[in-house]
Amino acid sequence: MRKQEQLKEAIRYIFTGGLTTVVNFMIYWLCTRFFHIYWMSANVLAWLGAVIFAYYMNQRYVFHSNPANAWKEAAQFFFLRLLTLLIETVLLYITIQWLLIPDMISKVIVSVITVAGNYVFCKFMIFYQKQ
């Protein structure tokens, strides 16, 4: 892939990743503040909504992968994102329960780590196999 194409792809990923983060935070905020759901359950619900949104955006607009591989990509995408959910949950537990950092601030801190990890997983382990 040429450098210019790589840059465009990275910009698209950052933009859709930003939208995915907004989806995640909005669902989390609604769950915790409006519906009064415990932060850990709210995080799982927010993760689910964000992952569905992110898969669609990454598959269609960022990596332009082959639709024939959609089921395989979706399974890999959700599995790898499940790993980041586990990492995110552990980090949120540490920051919220042990360090007593407010949940929304903790979510911002932890999101920086998971967004970077998600890019690497998506790029090199899932959508890289496009044809």
Side-chain angles (χ1 to χ4, degrees):
M1 181 181 290
R2 295 186 346 227
K3 293 287 184 190
Q4 185 177 16
E5 290 173 8
Q6 289 176 330
L7 178 61
K8 286 180 182 179
E9 182 178 274
I11 290 169
R12 287 191 309 266
Y13 180 80
I14 290 167
F15 179 74
T16 59
L19 292 176
T20 299
T21 301
V22 169
V23 168
N24 186 301
F25 276 73
M26 288 182 70
I27 294 171
Y28 181 83
W29 184 86
L30 285 170
C31 287
T32 59
R33 301 318 191 262
F34 189 74
F35 296 111
H36 306 287
I37 297 173
Y38 182 63
W39 69 264
M40 196 177 295
S41 300
N43 191 57
V44 172
L45 293 172
W47 171 86
L48 183 60
V51 167
I52 292 168
F53 177 81
Y55 174 73
Y56 176 78
M57 295 299 287
N58 281 309
Q59 194 269 343
R60 182 155 177 124
Y61 298 109
V62 177
F63 299 111
H64 304 290
S65 62
N66 185 343
N69 298 329
W71 285 108
K72 180 182 176 185
E73 287 176 355
Q76 291 174 327
F77 188 86
F78 278 85
F79 175 74
L80 292 172
R81 291 289 173 110
L82 185 60
L83 292 176
T84 60
L85 172 65
L86 296 174
I87 293 166
E88 181 178 350
T89 302
V90 168
L91 292 175
L92 284 174
Y93 183 82
I94 291 168
T95 57
I96 294 169
Q97 300 296 123
W98 291 356
L99 300 177
L100 304 177
I101 298 172
D103 67 318
M104 289 303 289
I105 294 171
S106 293
K107 192 134 176 73
V108 170
I109 294 167
V110 170
S111 290
V112 171
I113 297 165
T114 57
V115 166
N118 285 335
Y119 177 76
V120 172
F121 288 153
C122 286
K123 173 66 178 166
F124 297 106
M125 300 180 92
I126 301 172
F127 296 109
Y128 181 73
Q129 301 159 358
K130 65 185 173 184
Q131 299 185 16

